[in-house]
Amino acid sequence: QVQLVESGGGSVQPGGSLRLSCAASGNIFGISYMGWYRQAPGTGRELVARITTGGDTIYGDSMKGRITISRDNAKNVLLLQMNNLRPEDTAVYYCTAEVRAYMTSAYRPYWGQGTQVTVSS
């Protein structure tokens, strides 16, 4: 089995910063891309950022310029540094990774359970 566990969410005032972490563990043979999505109440899940094994990144438009995604391939850890947070950034943030497990031949997506980020004064 493969598990993704997020941490680092919480409450912050507008203009503040948070750093989210996601640790992938379990029966992992390899990981291709890793990424963050978010979902606010009443909305669909949207891309925040994603990163390949080689470090190529894609940022969603809503937080571009205020966030940095990075990963430690050796430790299977994904990070998201978020700065200058706004109330509209309030959402549940989900980690995702495309993982190939041992004894399998294909990569498939896995999701964490999500971590709440609340931006409010």
Side-chain angles (χ1 to χ4, degrees):
Q1 273 290 15
V2 174
Q3 299 86 36
L4 301 181
V5 178
E6 302 101 333
S7 61
S11 295
V12 64
Q13 293 187 337
S17 298
L18 284 175
R19 190 174 80 159
L20 305 184
S21 298
C22 173
S25 63
N27 190 32
I28 298 172
F29 177 82
I31 301 177
S32 58
Y33 79 83
M34 300 183 79
W36 293 96
Y37 284 72
R38 70 181 187 180
Q39 187 167 20
T43 69
R45 198 169 290 191
E46 68 167 339
L47 172 70
V48 176
R50 55 187 277 171
I51 184 169
T52 67
T53 306
D56 294 326
T57 57
I58 296 175
Y59 289 97
D61 290 338
S62 58
M63 300 189 78
K64 193 178 295 184
R66 300 185 290 124
I67 57 172
T68 303
I69 189 170
S70 60
R71 64 188 279 185
D72 183 331
N73 292 327
K75 297 180 179 179
N76 292 333
V77 170
L78 178 69
L79 301 174
L80 183 70
Q81 178 66 43
M82 305 188 294
N83 301 318
N84 192 22
L85 286 162
R86 305 167 181 167
E88 55 264 38
D89 295 322
T90 296
V92 178
Y93 285 69
Y94 296 92
C95 173
T96 183
E98 195 166 70
V99 179
R100 178 182 168 187
Y102 281 105
M103 305 302 290
T104 66
S105 59
Y107 287 83
R108 54 155 285 195
Y110 289 84
W111 292 85
Q113 300 221 338
T115 185
Q116 176 70 46
V117 170
T118 302
V119 185
S120 173
S121 56

